[in-house]
Amino acid sequence: MCYAIPARIIKAQGDSGLVDYGGVRRKANLSLLENARVGAYVLVHAGFAIEFIDKEKAKESIRTLEEGAAKSEKSGR
Amino acid sequence: MEMKDVVRLADGSGGREMLELIKSFGFSNRGEWKNYDNDSATLDLGDKRHLVFTTDSFIVSPSFFPGGDVGHIAACGTINDLSVLGARPLGLSVGLVIEEGFPKDDLDSIISSINKVSLQTKVPVVTGDTKVMERGKVDGIMINVSGVGIADELLTKSVKAGDVVIVSGGLGEHAVAVLSKRFDYETDIVSDSKPLIEEINAVRKLILVARDITRGGIAAVLNELCERHGIGMVLNEESIPAEPQVRNVAEMLGIDLYELASEGRFVCIAPKKNATEVESLLQQFNKQARIIGEVTDSKSVVVKTIIGSRLLPMPTGRIVPRIC
Amino acid sequence: MTEIEQHLRRIHEAAAEIKRSITIMEICGGHTNVIMKHGLRGILPRNVRLVSGPGCPVCVSPQHDLDCMIELATSGIPVATYGDMIRVRGSRCSLEDAKSRGAAVHEVYSAEEVVELRKKLPNIVFFGVGFETTAPMTAFLLERRVPVYSVHRLIPACMKSLCNGAIKIDGFINPGHVSAIIGAKAYREIKMPQVIAGFTAERVVRALSSLVEMIRDGGTTVVNAYPEAVQEHGNTKAQMALEKHFYAADSEWRGLGTIKSSGLEVREEALNAKILHGDLLNEVQSNERTDCRCGDVLKGLIEPSECRLYGKPCTPSMPQGACMVSAEGSCGIAYKYGDERRR
C-alpha cells in the first residue's frame, strides 16, 4: 500500500539523507532505518526511507517463484 | 455557505470542473465569432482568411523555475494558442497585476523574458496595462497575455477514424520543473516552454488539427479534441514519450504522467499517409516527437498497456500528490 | 513470450484446473491502481474474480473523525495532513472547502514539513491517516511532541475480519509496503492463501500466478513475492516506534464497522488531539449518507458500478463518498480507468 519508490542514498548525515531515484534527487529522512549508508538502496515513502532494498533478492524473487511453480507441478495435486 | 457557493481550486485546474464553470458563464452572444474550446476565437474575414483572438492568464508559483519564468510561459502560451489554429501572430497585449513589494529585479527579469520571446518570434507587444495591488492581495504577479493573428487557412479540418495522433516531444517537463520547488526535489529537467511557430509551420500542410498541451496534460487536450470532433482515440502506452526523470517524479508524487502540464509541446492529428513524415519533421525539433495512437469511432480515449487497456478520462480536481 | 505473458498463461492453466469460481482480494489501493491501470481484470480467466479490498486509508477513515479535524481547522487550530485527505467530504464539507473559506489547513507531502510548520504554528495538529506504512512517520512527529489525531488502521486485523465476512475470499494479494514495515510474519496466523506483492504490473501478475497456483494446490501459506523489500520480521525499528507511541484499539472503519484491535491510538494523552481538544470535539455532530454504498464496495460485496449513486451524482468532481474521492478508492479508480469487464 502506499506509493513508495526505490532510491539510492547519495548522502547520509545522521537521520538526514539525500536520495536519488533515477536522476531525481530529494531529501529523505533515514530515522526509521539502522545503518542507512551512502550507496544503499531504500524504499522511500512520503519522504521517509522505510526499508532497505536488497538488490540480490530482487533477482532472486523471480527464481523462487519459478521454482515454487515447478514444485507444485511435480507434487501433483 | 454551501460548498457550491464558493469557487474552488479545482475550478481553475484545466479539468472538467473548469469547463463546467466556464459553461456556466453563458457568454453566448458571439455575433460572427466562433469559439474554440474557450481558448481562442475566430472571425471569418470573408476571403478565406480568419482573424484569431486569444487570451490567457498566468499565475505561477514560483514565478521562476528551472528553464524559465512566468513571463516566458505567458508570452509563449498565447503565441502558441494562435499558432495551433494556423494563425500568424500579429501582436500581443500584456496585462500585469503585481503585488506591492514584488522585487523590481524579478519584474525586470520577467519583462525581459517576454521581450526575448517577442523578439525571437517577431511578434510585438503592442499594448498593455499595469496594476499594483496591496501586499497579500495577489500572489506575486499575475500576467494576462492576449494576442491576435491572421490565419490564411484555419487548422481546423475534420478528422476521422484511422487518422493518426502525434505528439511533438516528451511530456510533463514543465510540470516537473515547476513542482520541484514545492516538493523540494532536484532534477535535470527544465521547463519545455517555447514558441511553437516554426514546428507548426513545418508540418502545417500535412496535419488536420493541432492543440498545445498545457494544464491537465495530454489527458485534458486529447479528451477536449475528442469532444470537439466527436471522435475517440486509442493510444499506445509504450509509445508515449517522456524523460525517465519525468516518469520518476510522477511516480514519486503519485501523479499521473498523462496529467502533467507541458508548455512547449503540442499534439496534432494527421492523415495516415502523412503520419511518418510529420513525425520525422517534428523530430528535427525534438527527438522525442512520436506517433502515439490513432483516431477511432469510440468517443473515448483508450490506452493500450502492456497487459490490457483502460480509459483515459478528462482529468478532474486539482493535482493532489498522493502518498497513500 | 514475455515474462508477463508466461505468468498469464500459468494463471489461465491453473484456473482451468480449479474449475470453480474463485475470488481474490487485493487489499491495497496501490494494487487496485496497478490492476486497473493496466486493464488486468479484463484478461484474467472468467473464473478468477479480483475484488478490491478496503486498502484505501482515506476511504476507511471515519467521517466523524474528518468532521472533527474540520471543526478544529474552522475553530482556528491549524491542521496538517496529506494531500489524499484534503478533498474528502465530511458531513458538511471537505478540508479543502474549509481552507477556501479561510481555515488553517496545510497540505504536506512529508511529515517532516509539519515540524517546520510548527515553528510558525505552535499548536498545529497532525491528522494521521494511513496504514502501517505511514504510521511510523506519525510516530516521528509524536516523538517531537506534535499532537496527533490518529485514524491509522492496521491491515492484518482487517484481513482477519474479512475472512469471516460477507463474501468468500479464496486468497489475498497482500500490500507490499505495509509488509515492508510489519514483515511477512504479521500475516502468518491468517490461515489463507496470501502472496505479498510489489507494485509493478510484472510483480502483480507474478504474484497472481503464484496465488492462483497455491489455491489450486490447497495451500494456505504466505508467499513473499517481494523479498527485495519485505523481510520476515519487517522493519523492527519502525515497529518499535509504533509500539512506543501507539496502542492498538478497537476502531471503526468507514463502511465496515468496528474491527477489533484494528487501529492505532496515541498513547500519551497530552499528545492525543482527541483528548487535548476534547471540549471542542465533543460537540461535533456527523451525519452519513445512507444511500452511499462505499462500505459494500470496500468489503468487495459489490462493484462500484452497482452503487446507485455511481456516476450520477457521484463522480470524481462531485464525490458523494470516500471511495470516489480518493485516488485509490475503488470507485475513483473504476471511474477513471473504466472497468474492462463492462466494455
Side-chain angles (χ1 to χ4, degrees), chain B residues 1 3 252 256 259 305 307-308 310-311 313 316 318 320 322 324, chain C residues 37-38 43 83-84 89 96-97 101 107 109 316-317 327-328 336-337:
Chain B
M1 237 207 265
M3 188 176 74
M252 180 179 84
D256 194 341
E259 294 184 11
T305 72
I307 309 182
R310 69 156 193 278
L311 287 180
T316 58
R318 186 162 59 95
V320 175
R322 298 190 308 280
C324 282
Chain C
K37 202 168 143 166
H38 290 92
I43 54 172
D84 315 50
R89 228 174 114 75
E96 187 176 65
D97 294 328
R101 277 175 243 160
E107 183 186 323
Y109 172 71
S317 341
E328 292 206 338
K336 183 173 162 126
Y337 294 129

PDB file of all heavy atoms in Angstrom, chain B residues 1 3 252 256 259 305 307-308 310-311 313 316 318 320 322 324, chain C residues 37-38 43 83-84 89 96-97 101 107 109 316-317 327-328 336-337:
ATOM      1  N   MET B   1     -22.159  28.952   4.451  1.00  0.00           N
ATOM      2  CA  MET B   1     -22.164  28.984   2.977  1.00  0.00           C
ATOM      3  C   MET B   1     -21.979  27.581   2.429  1.00  0.00           C
ATOM      4  O   MET B   1     -21.117  26.856   2.865  1.00  0.00           O
ATOM      5  CB  MET B   1     -20.987  29.865   2.512  1.00  0.00           C
ATOM      6  CG  MET B   1     -21.408  30.997   1.641  1.00  0.00           C
ATOM      7  SD  MET B   1     -20.068  31.463   0.540  1.00  0.00           S
ATOM      8  CE  MET B   1     -19.347  32.785   1.463  1.00  0.00           C
ATOM      9  N   MET B   3     -20.990  24.545  -0.092  1.00  0.00           N
ATOM     10  CA  MET B   3     -19.788  24.300  -0.880  1.00  0.00           C
ATOM     11  C   MET B   3     -19.933  24.866  -2.282  1.00  0.00           C
ATOM     12  O   MET B   3     -19.014  25.370  -2.878  1.00  0.00           O
ATOM     13  CB  MET B   3     -19.567  22.800  -0.931  1.00  0.00           C
ATOM     14  CG  MET B   3     -18.274  22.383  -1.553  1.00  0.00           C
ATOM     15  SD  MET B   3     -18.047  20.605  -1.471  1.00  0.00           S
ATOM     16  CE  MET B   3     -19.166  20.021  -2.693  1.00  0.00           C
ATOM     17  N   MET B 252       6.999   9.313  -7.950  1.00  0.00           N
ATOM     18  CA  MET B 252       7.324   9.756  -6.594  1.00  0.00           C
ATOM     19  C   MET B 252       6.163  10.529  -5.983  1.00  0.00           C
ATOM     20  O   MET B 252       5.842  10.392  -4.816  1.00  0.00           O
ATOM     21  CB  MET B 252       8.573  10.645  -6.645  1.00  0.00           C
ATOM     22  CG  MET B 252       9.012  11.169  -5.288  1.00  0.00           C
ATOM     23  SD  MET B 252      10.500  12.187  -5.444  1.00  0.00           S
ATOM     24  CE  MET B 252       9.793  13.754  -5.893  1.00  0.00           C
ATOM     25  N   ASP B 256      -0.385  11.211 -12.206  1.00  0.00           N
ATOM     26  CA  ASP B 256      -0.468  10.553 -13.497  1.00  0.00           C
ATOM     27  C   ASP B 256       0.357  11.308 -14.536  1.00  0.00           C
ATOM     28  O   ASP B 256       0.150  12.507 -14.740  1.00  0.00           O
ATOM     29  CB  ASP B 256      -1.949  10.545 -13.913  1.00  0.00           C
ATOM     30  CG  ASP B 256      -2.207   9.601 -15.069  1.00  0.00           C
ATOM     31  OD1 ASP B 256      -1.246   9.230 -15.789  1.00  0.00           O
ATOM     32  OD2 ASP B 256      -3.380   9.257 -15.271  1.00  0.00           O
ATOM     33  N   GLU B 259      -1.353  13.565 -16.938  1.00  0.00           N
ATOM     34  CA  GLU B 259      -1.986  14.806 -16.487  1.00  0.00           C
ATOM     35  C   GLU B 259      -0.966  15.900 -16.194  1.00  0.00           C
ATOM     36  O   GLU B 259      -1.311  16.987 -15.752  1.00  0.00           O
ATOM     37  CB  GLU B 259      -2.839  14.523 -15.237  1.00  0.00           C
ATOM     38  CG  GLU B 259      -4.025  13.616 -15.554  1.00  0.00           C
ATOM     39  CD  GLU B 259      -4.953  13.392 -14.371  1.00  0.00           C
ATOM     40  OE1 GLU B 259      -4.812  14.099 -13.357  1.00  0.00           O
ATOM     41  OE2 GLU B 259      -5.810  12.496 -14.465  1.00  0.00           O
ATOM     42  N   THR B 305      -2.156  -0.885 -22.837  1.00  0.00           N
ATOM     43  CA  THR B 305      -0.977  -1.040 -21.990  1.00  0.00           C
ATOM     44  C   THR B 305      -0.280  -2.350 -22.334  1.00  0.00           C
ATOM     45  O   THR B 305      -0.722  -3.068 -23.208  1.00  0.00           O
ATOM     46  CB  THR B 305      -1.384  -1.081 -20.511  1.00  0.00           C
ATOM     47  OG1 THR B 305      -2.024  -2.333 -20.256  1.00  0.00           O
ATOM     48  CG2 THR B 305      -2.352   0.036 -20.177  1.00  0.00           C
ATOM     49  N   ILE B 307      -0.432  -4.970 -20.778  1.00  0.00           N
ATOM     50  CA  ILE B 307      -1.275  -6.120 -20.456  1.00  0.00           C
ATOM     51  C   ILE B 307      -2.638  -6.018 -21.125  1.00  0.00           C
ATOM     52  O   ILE B 307      -3.075  -6.905 -21.820  1.00  0.00           O
ATOM     53  CB  ILE B 307      -1.504  -6.257 -18.947  1.00  0.00           C
ATOM     54  CG1 ILE B 307      -0.193  -6.216 -18.184  1.00  0.00           C
ATOM     55  CG2 ILE B 307      -2.220  -7.545 -18.667  1.00  0.00           C
ATOM     56  CD1 ILE B 307      -0.368  -6.406 -16.703  1.00  0.00           C
ATOM     57  N   GLY B 308      -3.327  -4.939 -20.865  1.00  0.00           N
ATOM     58  CA  GLY B 308      -4.700  -4.822 -21.370  1.00  0.00           C
ATOM     59  C   GLY B 308      -4.940  -3.415 -21.846  1.00  0.00           C
ATOM     60  O   GLY B 308      -4.070  -2.800 -22.454  1.00  0.00           O
ATOM     61  N   ARG B 310      -7.216   0.515 -20.866  1.00  0.00           N
ATOM     62  CA  ARG B 310      -8.020   1.243 -19.908  1.00  0.00           C
ATOM     63  C   ARG B 310      -8.437   2.575 -20.514  1.00  0.00           C
ATOM     64  O   ARG B 310      -7.895   2.996 -21.540  1.00  0.00           O
ATOM     65  CB  ARG B 310      -7.202   1.484 -18.642  1.00  0.00           C
ATOM     66  CG  ARG B 310      -6.071   2.474 -18.860  1.00  0.00           C
ATOM     67  CD  ARG B 310      -5.676   3.127 -17.572  1.00  0.00           C
ATOM     68  NE  ARG B 310      -4.829   4.277 -17.794  1.00  0.00           N
ATOM     69  CZ  ARG B 310      -3.527   4.239 -18.005  1.00  0.00           C
ATOM     70  NH1 ARG B 310      -2.914   3.093 -18.054  1.00  0.00           N
ATOM     71  NH2 ARG B 310      -2.833   5.338 -18.159  1.00  0.00           N
ATOM     72  N   LEU B 311      -9.372   3.235 -19.853  1.00  0.00           N
ATOM     73  CA  LEU B 311      -9.796   4.557 -20.295  1.00  0.00           C
ATOM     74  C   LEU B 311      -8.821   5.621 -19.819  1.00  0.00           C
ATOM     75  O   LEU B 311      -8.189   5.476 -18.780  1.00  0.00           O
ATOM     76  CB  LEU B 311     -11.159   4.902 -19.678  1.00  0.00           C
ATOM     77  CG  LEU B 311     -12.394   4.192 -20.212  1.00  0.00           C
ATOM     78  CD1 LEU B 311     -13.620   4.684 -19.451  1.00  0.00           C
ATOM     79  CD2 LEU B 311     -12.564   4.451 -21.687  1.00  0.00           C
ATOM     80  N   PRO B 313      -9.661   9.289 -18.965  1.00  0.00           N
ATOM     81  CA  PRO B 313     -10.713  10.298 -18.979  1.00  0.00           C
ATOM     82  C   PRO B 313     -10.165  11.705 -18.779  1.00  0.00           C
ATOM     83  O   PRO B 313      -8.981  11.886 -18.499  1.00  0.00           O
ATOM     84  CB  PRO B 313     -11.578   9.903 -17.778  1.00  0.00           C
ATOM     85  CG  PRO B 313     -10.614   9.266 -16.828  1.00  0.00           C
ATOM     86  CD  PRO B 313      -9.490   8.689 -17.642  1.00  0.00           C
ATOM     87  N   THR B 316      -9.867  15.389 -13.414  1.00  0.00           N
ATOM     88  CA  THR B 316     -10.769  16.125 -12.523  1.00  0.00           C
ATOM     89  C   THR B 316      -9.991  16.547 -11.289  1.00  0.00           C
ATOM     90  O   THR B 316      -9.042  15.895 -10.893  1.00  0.00           O
ATOM     91  CB  THR B 316     -11.938  15.254 -12.035  1.00  0.00           C
ATOM     92  OG1 THR B 316     -11.401  14.126 -11.370  1.00  0.00           O
ATOM     93  CG2 THR B 316     -12.788  14.805 -13.189  1.00  0.00           C
ATOM     94  N   ARG B 318      -7.944  19.140  -8.599  1.00  0.00           N
ATOM     95  CA  ARG B 318      -6.606  19.726  -8.601  1.00  0.00           C
ATOM     96  C   ARG B 318      -5.635  18.567  -8.537  1.00  0.00           C
ATOM     97  O   ARG B 318      -5.950  17.517  -7.995  1.00  0.00           O
ATOM     98  CB  ARG B 318      -6.490  20.568  -7.327  1.00  0.00           C
ATOM     99  CG  ARG B 318      -5.262  21.398  -7.159  1.00  0.00           C
ATOM    100  CD  ARG B 318      -5.560  22.448  -6.105  1.00  0.00           C
ATOM    101  NE  ARG B 318      -5.925  21.863  -4.841  1.00  0.00           N
ATOM    102  CZ  ARG B 318      -5.077  21.647  -3.838  1.00  0.00           C
ATOM    103  NH1 ARG B 318      -3.817  21.935  -3.990  1.00  0.00           N
ATOM    104  NH2 ARG B 318      -5.489  21.139  -2.707  1.00  0.00           N
ATOM    105  N   VAL B 320      -3.483  16.512  -6.815  1.00  0.00           N
ATOM    106  CA  VAL B 320      -3.143  16.331  -5.404  1.00  0.00           C
ATOM    107  C   VAL B 320      -2.159  15.178  -5.336  1.00  0.00           C
ATOM    108  O   VAL B 320      -2.540  14.045  -5.598  1.00  0.00           O
ATOM    109  CB  VAL B 320      -4.399  15.974  -4.584  1.00  0.00           C
ATOM    110  CG1 VAL B 320      -4.038  15.659  -3.154  1.00  0.00           C
ATOM    111  CG2 VAL B 320      -5.392  17.124  -4.625  1.00  0.00           C
ATOM    112  N   ARG B 322      -0.287  12.075  -4.241  1.00  0.00           N
ATOM    113  CA  ARG B 322      -0.769  11.047  -3.333  1.00  0.00           C
ATOM    114  C   ARG B 322       0.402  10.350  -2.681  1.00  0.00           C
ATOM    115  O   ARG B 322       1.427  10.140  -3.294  1.00  0.00           O
ATOM    116  CB  ARG B 322      -1.585  10.045  -4.121  1.00  0.00           C
ATOM    117  CG  ARG B 322      -2.794  10.666  -4.762  1.00  0.00           C
ATOM    118  CD  ARG B 322      -3.681   9.590  -5.307  1.00  0.00           C
ATOM    119  NE  ARG B 322      -2.973   8.667  -6.164  1.00  0.00           N
ATOM    120  CZ  ARG B 322      -2.675   8.894  -7.437  1.00  0.00           C
ATOM    121  NH1 ARG B 322      -2.983  10.032  -7.994  1.00  0.00           N
ATOM    122  NH2 ARG B 322      -2.041   7.989  -8.145  1.00  0.00           N
ATOM    123  N   CYS B 324      -0.664   7.861  -0.082  1.00  0.00           N
ATOM    124  CA  CYS B 324      -1.300   6.686   0.470  1.00  0.00           C
ATOM    125  C   CYS B 324      -2.028   5.894  -0.624  1.00  0.00           C
ATOM    126  O   CYS B 324      -2.740   6.493  -1.388  1.00  0.00           O
ATOM    127  CB  CYS B 324      -2.316   7.075   1.534  1.00  0.00           C
ATOM    128  SG  CYS B 324      -1.528   7.472   3.071  1.00  0.00           S
TER     129      CYS B 324
ATOM    130  N   LYS C  37      -5.091   0.185 -13.965  1.00  0.00           N
ATOM    131  CA  LYS C  37      -4.320   0.983 -14.906  1.00  0.00           C
ATOM    132  C   LYS C  37      -3.869   0.153 -16.103  1.00  0.00           C
ATOM    133  O   LYS C  37      -3.687   0.653 -17.196  1.00  0.00           O
ATOM    134  CB  LYS C  37      -3.086   1.517 -14.170  1.00  0.00           C
ATOM    135  CG  LYS C  37      -2.453   2.724 -14.775  1.00  0.00           C
ATOM    136  CD  LYS C  37      -1.442   3.293 -13.798  1.00  0.00           C
ATOM    137  CE  LYS C  37      -0.252   3.798 -14.586  1.00  0.00           C
ATOM    138  NZ  LYS C  37       0.651   4.637 -13.855  1.00  0.00           N
ATOM    139  N   HIS C  38      -3.647  -1.131 -15.849  1.00  0.00           N
ATOM    140  CA  HIS C  38      -3.182  -1.980 -16.938  1.00  0.00           C
ATOM    141  C   HIS C  38      -4.299  -2.821 -17.540  1.00  0.00           C
ATOM    142  O   HIS C  38      -4.045  -3.664 -18.388  1.00  0.00           O
ATOM    143  CB  HIS C  38      -2.028  -2.874 -16.462  1.00  0.00           C
ATOM    144  CG  HIS C  38      -0.773  -2.105 -16.209  1.00  0.00           C
ATOM    145  ND1 HIS C  38      -0.447  -1.579 -14.983  1.00  0.00           N
ATOM    146  CD2 HIS C  38       0.213  -1.728 -17.049  1.00  0.00           C
ATOM    147  CE1 HIS C  38       0.692  -0.923 -15.082  1.00  0.00           C
ATOM    148  NE2 HIS C  38       1.122  -0.990 -16.316  1.00  0.00           N
ATOM    149  N   ILE C  43      -8.336  -9.432 -18.696  1.00  0.00           N
ATOM    150  CA  ILE C  43      -7.685 -10.553 -19.377  1.00  0.00           C
ATOM    151  C   ILE C  43      -7.443 -11.746 -18.467  1.00  0.00           C
ATOM    152  O   ILE C  43      -6.718 -12.671 -18.819  1.00  0.00           O
ATOM    153  CB  ILE C  43      -6.354 -10.118 -20.007  1.00  0.00           C
ATOM    154  CG1 ILE C  43      -5.480  -9.464 -18.936  1.00  0.00           C
ATOM    155  CG2 ILE C  43      -6.587  -9.140 -21.144  1.00  0.00           C
ATOM    156  CD1 ILE C  43      -4.100  -9.201 -19.461  1.00  0.00           C
ATOM    157  N   GLY C  83      -2.080  15.151   1.169  1.00  0.00           N
ATOM    158  CA  GLY C  83      -2.948  15.588   0.073  1.00  0.00           C
ATOM    159  C   GLY C  83      -4.161  14.715  -0.159  1.00  0.00           C
ATOM    160  O   GLY C  83      -5.233  15.192  -0.535  1.00  0.00           O
ATOM    161  N   ASP C  84      -4.000  13.413   0.058  1.00  0.00           N
ATOM    162  CA  ASP C  84      -5.106  12.478  -0.185  1.00  0.00           C
ATOM    163  C   ASP C  84      -6.379  12.859   0.543  1.00  0.00           C
ATOM    164  O   ASP C  84      -7.483  12.607   0.089  1.00  0.00           O
ATOM    165  CB  ASP C  84      -4.774  11.076   0.343  1.00  0.00           C
ATOM    166  CG  ASP C  84      -3.386  10.612   0.001  1.00  0.00           C
ATOM    167  OD1 ASP C  84      -2.436  11.367   0.240  1.00  0.00           O
ATOM    168  OD2 ASP C  84      -3.267   9.493  -0.513  1.00  0.00           O
ATOM    169  N   ARG C  89     -14.992  14.628   1.491  1.00  0.00           N
ATOM    170  CA  ARG C  89     -16.070  15.382   2.110  1.00  0.00           C
ATOM    171  C   ARG C  89     -16.481  14.767   3.442  1.00  0.00           C
ATOM    172  O   ARG C  89     -16.700  13.561   3.535  1.00  0.00           O
ATOM    173  CB  ARG C  89     -17.273  15.344   1.163  1.00  0.00           C
ATOM    174  CG  ARG C  89     -17.919  16.672   0.921  1.00  0.00           C
ATOM    175  CD  ARG C  89     -18.991  16.530  -0.151  1.00  0.00           C
ATOM    176  NE  ARG C  89     -20.318  16.754   0.377  1.00  0.00           N
ATOM    177  CZ  ARG C  89     -20.828  17.938   0.691  1.00  0.00           C
ATOM    178  NH1 ARG C  89     -20.108  19.019   0.544  1.00  0.00           N
ATOM    179  NH2 ARG C  89     -22.048  18.041   1.160  1.00  0.00           N
ATOM    180  N   GLU C  96     -10.503  20.965   2.165  1.00  0.00           N
ATOM    181  CA  GLU C  96     -10.178  21.930   1.112  1.00  0.00           C
ATOM    182  C   GLU C  96     -11.217  23.048   1.047  1.00  0.00           C
ATOM    183  O   GLU C  96     -10.886  24.218   0.901  1.00  0.00           O
ATOM    184  CB  GLU C  96     -10.095  21.224  -0.240  1.00  0.00           C
ATOM    185  CG  GLU C  96      -9.608  22.130  -1.354  1.00  0.00           C
ATOM    186  CD  GLU C  96      -9.455  21.382  -2.656  1.00  0.00           C
ATOM    187  OE1 GLU C  96     -10.480  20.916  -3.195  1.00  0.00           O
ATOM    188  OE2 GLU C  96      -8.320  21.281  -3.133  1.00  0.00           O
ATOM    189  N   ASP C  97     -12.478  22.640   1.195  1.00  0.00           N
ATOM    190  CA  ASP C  97     -13.544  23.653   1.220  1.00  0.00           C
ATOM    191  C   ASP C  97     -13.327  24.593   2.402  1.00  0.00           C
ATOM    192  O   ASP C  97     -13.455  25.809   2.289  1.00  0.00           O
ATOM    193  CB  ASP C  97     -14.922  22.996   1.376  1.00  0.00           C
ATOM    194  CG  ASP C  97     -15.285  22.153   0.173  1.00  0.00           C
ATOM    195  OD1 ASP C  97     -14.866  22.504  -0.948  1.00  0.00           O
ATOM    196  OD2 ASP C  97     -15.982  21.138   0.364  1.00  0.00           O
ATOM    197  N   ARG C 101     -12.404  28.748   2.615  1.00  0.00           N
ATOM    198  CA  ARG C 101     -13.134  29.744   3.405  1.00  0.00           C
ATOM    199  C   ARG C 101     -12.293  30.294   4.541  1.00  0.00           C
ATOM    200  O   ARG C 101     -12.816  30.873   5.476  1.00  0.00           O
ATOM    201  CB  ARG C 101     -14.416  29.120   3.942  1.00  0.00           C
ATOM    202  CG  ARG C 101     -15.507  29.153   2.914  1.00  0.00           C
ATOM    203  CD  ARG C 101     -16.726  28.438   3.381  1.00  0.00           C
ATOM    204  NE  ARG C 101     -16.999  27.298   2.540  1.00  0.00           N
ATOM    205  CZ  ARG C 101     -17.758  26.282   2.908  1.00  0.00           C
ATOM    206  NH1 ARG C 101     -18.279  26.240   4.114  1.00  0.00           N
ATOM    207  NH2 ARG C 101     -17.972  25.290   2.085  1.00  0.00           N
ATOM    208  N   GLU C 107      -1.480  21.291   3.628  1.00  0.00           N
ATOM    209  CA  GLU C 107      -1.254  20.018   2.953  1.00  0.00           C
ATOM    210  C   GLU C 107       0.243  19.742   2.952  1.00  0.00           C
ATOM    211  O   GLU C 107       1.027  20.598   2.565  1.00  0.00           O
ATOM    212  CB  GLU C 107      -1.760  20.147   1.527  1.00  0.00           C
ATOM    213  CG  GLU C 107      -1.661  18.891   0.721  1.00  0.00           C
ATOM    214  CD  GLU C 107      -2.044  19.143  -0.720  1.00  0.00           C
ATOM    215  OE1 GLU C 107      -2.972  19.952  -0.954  1.00  0.00           O
ATOM    216  OE2 GLU C 107      -1.407  18.558  -1.604  1.00  0.00           O
ATOM    217  N   TYR C 109       3.505  16.920   2.038  1.00  0.00           N
ATOM    218  CA  TYR C 109       3.921  15.717   1.307  1.00  0.00           C
ATOM    219  C   TYR C 109       4.629  14.770   2.271  1.00  0.00           C
ATOM    220  O   TYR C 109       4.513  13.561   2.199  1.00  0.00           O
ATOM    221  CB  TYR C 109       4.836  16.116   0.149  1.00  0.00           C
ATOM    222  CG  TYR C 109       5.461  14.956  -0.556  1.00  0.00           C
ATOM    223  CD1 TYR C 109       4.711  14.108  -1.360  1.00  0.00           C
ATOM    224  CD2 TYR C 109       6.821  14.694  -0.413  1.00  0.00           C
ATOM    225  CE1 TYR C 109       5.289  13.030  -2.001  1.00  0.00           C
ATOM    226  CE2 TYR C 109       7.406  13.618  -1.050  1.00  0.00           C
ATOM    227  CZ  TYR C 109       6.640  12.794  -1.837  1.00  0.00           C
ATOM    228  OH  TYR C 109       7.211  11.725  -2.464  1.00  0.00           O
ATOM    229  N   PRO C 316     -15.842  11.832  -9.691  1.00  0.00           N
ATOM    230  CA  PRO C 316     -14.671  12.433  -9.047  1.00  0.00           C
ATOM    231  C   PRO C 316     -14.812  13.946  -8.820  1.00  0.00           C
ATOM    232  O   PRO C 316     -14.243  14.474  -7.876  1.00  0.00           O
ATOM    233  CB  PRO C 316     -13.535  12.133 -10.042  1.00  0.00           C
ATOM    234  CG  PRO C 316     -13.964  10.878 -10.718  1.00  0.00           C
ATOM    235  CD  PRO C 316     -15.457  10.984 -10.841  1.00  0.00           C
ATOM    236  N   SER C 317     -15.576  14.647  -9.662  1.00  0.00           N
ATOM    237  CA  SER C 317     -15.745  16.088  -9.403  1.00  0.00           C
ATOM    238  C   SER C 317     -16.735  16.359  -8.285  1.00  0.00           C
ATOM    239  O   SER C 317     -16.627  17.359  -7.593  1.00  0.00           O
ATOM    240  CB  SER C 317     -16.259  16.876 -10.612  1.00  0.00           C
ATOM    241  OG  SER C 317     -16.073  16.202 -11.785  1.00  0.00           O
ATOM    242  N   ALA C 327      -7.928   8.894  -4.758  1.00  0.00           N
ATOM    243  CA  ALA C 327      -7.368   8.357  -5.993  1.00  0.00           C
ATOM    244  C   ALA C 327      -7.134   6.867  -5.882  1.00  0.00           C
ATOM    245  O   ALA C 327      -6.923   6.196  -6.881  1.00  0.00           O
ATOM    246  CB  ALA C 327      -6.069   9.063  -6.301  1.00  0.00           C
ATOM    247  N   GLU C 328      -7.162   6.326  -4.677  1.00  0.00           N
ATOM    248  CA  GLU C 328      -7.014   4.885  -4.531  1.00  0.00           C
ATOM    249  C   GLU C 328      -8.294   4.223  -4.099  1.00  0.00           C
ATOM    250  O   GLU C 328      -8.304   3.052  -3.762  1.00  0.00           O
ATOM    251  CB  GLU C 328      -5.900   4.600  -3.527  1.00  0.00           C
ATOM    252  CG  GLU C 328      -4.588   5.027  -4.114  1.00  0.00           C
ATOM    253  CD  GLU C 328      -3.433   4.263  -3.539  1.00  0.00           C
ATOM    254  OE1 GLU C 328      -3.587   3.725  -2.432  1.00  0.00           O
ATOM    255  OE2 GLU C 328      -2.396   4.202  -4.187  1.00  0.00           O
ATOM    256  N   LYS C 336     -12.164   6.300 -13.316  1.00  0.00           N
ATOM    257  CA  LYS C 336     -11.061   6.832 -14.089  1.00  0.00           C
ATOM    258  C   LYS C 336     -10.627   5.885 -15.195  1.00  0.00           C
ATOM    259  O   LYS C 336     -10.478   6.283 -16.334  1.00  0.00           O
ATOM    260  CB  LYS C 336      -9.874   7.095 -13.151  1.00  0.00           C
ATOM    261  CG  LYS C 336      -8.705   7.712 -13.883  1.00  0.00           C
ATOM    262  CD  LYS C 336      -7.608   8.117 -12.923  1.00  0.00           C
ATOM    263  CE  LYS C 336      -6.315   8.313 -13.706  1.00  0.00           C
ATOM    264  NZ  LYS C 336      -5.693   9.593 -13.500  1.00  0.00           N
ATOM    265  N   TYR C 337     -10.433   4.636 -14.861  1.00  0.00           N
ATOM    266  CA  TYR C 337      -9.872   3.741 -15.862  1.00  0.00           C
ATOM    267  C   TYR C 337     -10.912   2.933 -16.608  1.00  0.00           C
ATOM    268  O   TYR C 337     -10.594   2.284 -17.594  1.00  0.00           O
ATOM    269  CB  TYR C 337      -8.882   2.786 -15.203  1.00  0.00           C
ATOM    270  CG  TYR C 337      -7.653   3.481 -14.650  1.00  0.00           C
ATOM    271  CD1 TYR C 337      -7.239   3.274 -13.340  1.00  0.00           C
ATOM    272  CD2 TYR C 337      -6.908   4.339 -15.441  1.00  0.00           C
ATOM    273  CE1 TYR C 337      -6.119   3.897 -12.838  1.00  0.00           C
ATOM    274  CE2 TYR C 337      -5.785   4.970 -14.940  1.00  0.00           C
ATOM    275  CZ  TYR C 337      -5.394   4.745 -13.639  1.00  0.00           C
ATOM    276  OH  TYR C 337      -4.299   5.364 -13.134  1.00  0.00           O
TER     277      TYR C 337
END
